């Protein structure tokens, strides 16, 4: 029997709003409140409010915190300034991706690593194991935070109404401590929607106060509560990978087209990082002859591709769909897929997706499908 899903601090509030709930990575989470398309479009044109309290926060502190993170992760954490954040990954010794992460530098010797919900325990265990010999402490802070995100073009104005923090000075991938709706918060300009927005880390007991204040401030400009379903279509349009779909332990960052996150020359640690040798080899392979590339696919018809479906050309399987959904913004079904390099160029003719035995034609396009106007 599977264990009872964990509930976020906002669980009762979601239910009072009529949310359709679902078990996601061991958490009871809102899938949608009403129409997925309306929620998606609200984030693209106005603003949406998300409960992301299922994400896994891990704090790393101590004089050797940066050395530990440089050893444990593939990025150069030594170059992250206080108040800034970085997208990075944690890999196995063989180069396979354990998870993709955001690392926030909260102070001189304090960092917060945010892992995906389904991988939080694995990442915590790996960091704890890799901390041996370093002057650093790894702390499980998953119960210390609730995480609320406001995303969309109206989000800066909404947040300004309930905080006196300097949002204009807050760059993308930066965070600062402040007070929002009277409660202490870490305010980060990050998100997973392809829009401008903020993620607010607060104590669980303050989550409802924060949510209600943002709801009230956002009502005049069309803010709506949003579930995981539209979060998925938003990130898919923005070409953002999802762990378990585009990223797995069977792929290296170079296989996923994200080799840029791997920094072989790190400044603050002499030792090689975990996965260094395997990733060097993967980088060389990717440069000479990448086996498959991650591409975008746009449907010519109306049938929606799903993860695991084959991509075909000339009757042969040339790839596999990793994520697929109807795109509210494009008005057509879209997908991300790994396809053979020979069929990966945008506009490659004759590419189709095998949808239950029918080869539905698809156009190969460069990612992302959608880019917001700055």
């Amino acid at each position: 029997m599977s264990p009872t899903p964990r509930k976020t601090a906002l669980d009762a509030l979601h239910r009072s709003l009529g949310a359709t709930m679902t078990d996601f990575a061991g958490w009871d989470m809102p899938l949608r409140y009403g129409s997925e398309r309306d929620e998606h479009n609200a984030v693209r044109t106005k603003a949406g409010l998300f409960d992301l309290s299922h994400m896994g926060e891990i704090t790393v502190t101590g004089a050797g915190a940066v050395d530990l993170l440089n050893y444990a992760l593939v990025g150069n954490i030594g170059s992250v300034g206080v108040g800034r954040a970085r997208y990075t990954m944690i890999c196995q010794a063989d180069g396979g991706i354990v998870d993709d992460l955001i690392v926030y530098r909260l102070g001189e010797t304090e960092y917060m690593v945010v892992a995906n919900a389904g991988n939080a325990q694995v990442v915590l265990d790996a960091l704890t194991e890799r901390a041996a010999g370093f002057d650093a402490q790894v702390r499980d802070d998953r119960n210390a935070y609730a995480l609320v995100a406001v995303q969309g073009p109206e989000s800066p104005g909404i947040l300004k109404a309930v905080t006196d923090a300097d949002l204009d000075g807050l760059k993308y991938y930066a965070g600062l401590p402040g007070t929002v709706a009277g409660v202490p918060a870490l305010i980060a300009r990050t998100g997973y929607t392809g829009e401008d927005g903020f993620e607010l880390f607060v104590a669980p007991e303050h989550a409802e106060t924060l949510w209600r204040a943002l709801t009230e401030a956002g009502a005049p400009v069309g803010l709506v509560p949003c579930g995981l379903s539209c979060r998925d279509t938003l990130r898919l349009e923005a070409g953002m990978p999802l762990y378990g779909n585009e990223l797995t332990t069977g792929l290296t960052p170079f296989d996923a087209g994200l080799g840029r996150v791997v920094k072989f020359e790190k400044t603050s640690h002499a030792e090689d990082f975990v996965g260094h040798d395997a990733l060097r080899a993967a980088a060389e392979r990717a440069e000479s002859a990448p086996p498959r590339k991650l591409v975008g696919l746009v449907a010519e018809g109306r049938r929606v591709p799903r993860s695991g479906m084959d991509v075909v050309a000339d009757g042969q399987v040339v790839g596999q769909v990793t994520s697929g959904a109807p795109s509210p913004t494009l008005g057509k079904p879209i997908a991300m897929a790994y396809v053979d390099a020979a069929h990966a160029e945008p506009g490659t003719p004759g590419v189709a997706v095998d949808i239950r035995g029918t080869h539905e034609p698809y156009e190969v396009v460069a990612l992302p499908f959608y880019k917001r106007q700055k």
Side-chain angles (χ1 to χ4, degrees):
M1 208 169 92
S2 58
T4 306
R6 296 176 68 180
K7 290 177 165 43
T8 77
L10 294 166
D11 183 78
L13 194 149
H14 297 316
R15 292 171 194 279
S16 75
L17 293 171
T20 299
M21 305 296 286
T22 189
D23 182 346
F24 182 81
W27 288 82
D28 224 356
M29 298 297 295
L31 188 63
R32 71 182 76 80
Y33 297 85
S35 155
E36 292 164 15
R37 179 179 293 270
D38 289 350
E39 290 173 26
H40 179 109
N41 290 334
V43 176
R44 286 276 178 260
T45 60
K46 301 178 184 96
L49 192 58
F50 296 83
D51 179 8
L52 306 178
S53 302
H54 61 312
M55 301 296 280
E57 295 86 8
I58 301 160
T59 304
V60 181
T61 56
V66 67
D67 289 338
L68 162 59
L69 291 171
N70 266 349
Y71 169 69
L73 311 180
V74 301
N76 182 359
I77 307 306
S79 63
V80 180
V82 174
R84 297 309 302 264
R86 179 152 301 161
Y87 177 79
T88 187
M89 294 182 184
I90 182 168
C91 290
Q92 298 176 153
D94 66 2
I97 302 166
V98 175
D99 200 13
D100 62 334
L101 312 163
I102 295 181
V103 178
Y104 297 88
R105 187 174 182 187
L106 304 181
E108 273 310 313
T109 59
E110 183 179 5
Y111 296 81
M112 182 169 68
V113 177
V114 180
N116 285 298
N119 294 332
Q121 189 63 49
V122 178
V123 173
L124 176 67
D125 292 344
L127 286 175
T128 303
E129 186 184 318
R130 295 175 190 187
F134 289 93
D135 181 11
Q137 294 74 49
V138 177
R139 187 173 74 231
D140 180 0
D141 269 349
R142 283 175 288 179
N143 293 330
Y145 293 103
L147 177 55
V148 173
V150 56
Q151 300 277 305
E154 297 286 355
S155 58
I158 293 167
L159 192 53
K160 278 178 187 174
V162 292
T163 184
D164 56 4
D166 176 21
L167 300 184
D168 292 333
L170 188 65
K171 297 187 174 77
Y172 186 51
Y173 265 71
L176 83 169
T179 301
V180 182
V183 304
L186 171 67
I187 306 165
R189 200 164 205 153
T190 45
Y192 193 52
T193 62
E195 298 298 337
D196 191 11
F198 303 86
E199 295 182 319
L200 308 166
F201 297 84
V202 298
E205 60 268 26
H206 294 148
E208 194 167 324
T209 298
L210 178 64
W211 182 281
R212 291 188 186 282
L214 289 167
T215 298
E216 192 178 327
V221 291
L223 173 130
V224 300
C226 293
L228 292 180
S229 189
C230 84
R231 182 169 150 91
D232 192 48
T233 52
L234 289 160
R235 70 93 195 165
L236 177 56
E237 288 184 350
M240 294 174 166
L242 175 66
Y243 195 88
N245 292 45
E246 288 72 41
L247 309 176
T248 69
T249 52
L251 296 168
T252 72
F254 294 95
D255 298 324
L258 291 165
R260 65 180 181 276
V261 307
V262 181
K263 304 299 179 191
F264 290 111
E265 310 307 326
K266 301 193 188 189
T267 54
S268 67
H269 204 273
E271 285 183 52
D272 289 342
F273 55 91
V274 176
H276 176 280
D277 294 350
L279 290 168
R280 275 270 189 216
E284 287 164 16
R285 282 196 309 274
E287 210 165 292
S288 57
R292 284 188 166 178
K293 288 186 176 178
L294 187 64
V295 301
L297 299 173
V298 178
E300 292 180 19
R302 309 303 307 169
R303 296 183 75 188
V304 179
R306 297 298 180 192
S307 178
M309 288 181 173
D310 288 334
V311 180
V312 294
D314 302 321
Q316 302 295 311
V317 175
V318 297
Q320 195 171 59
V321 171
T322 53
S323 296
S327 164
T329 305
L330 275 65
K332 299 175 179 177
I334 59 172
M336 285 200 276
Y338 283 107
V339 302
D340 294 349
H343 295 88
E345 283 302 309
T348 300
V351 173
V353 175
D354 185 341
I355 301 181
R356 288 179 286 282
T358 304
H359 291 184
E360 298 284 342
Y362 271 74
E363 181 189 356
V364 179
V365 300
L367 292 169
F369 301 96
Y370 165 86
K371 214 170 202 169
R372 72 180 172 96
Q373 302 301 308
K374 295 283 192 256

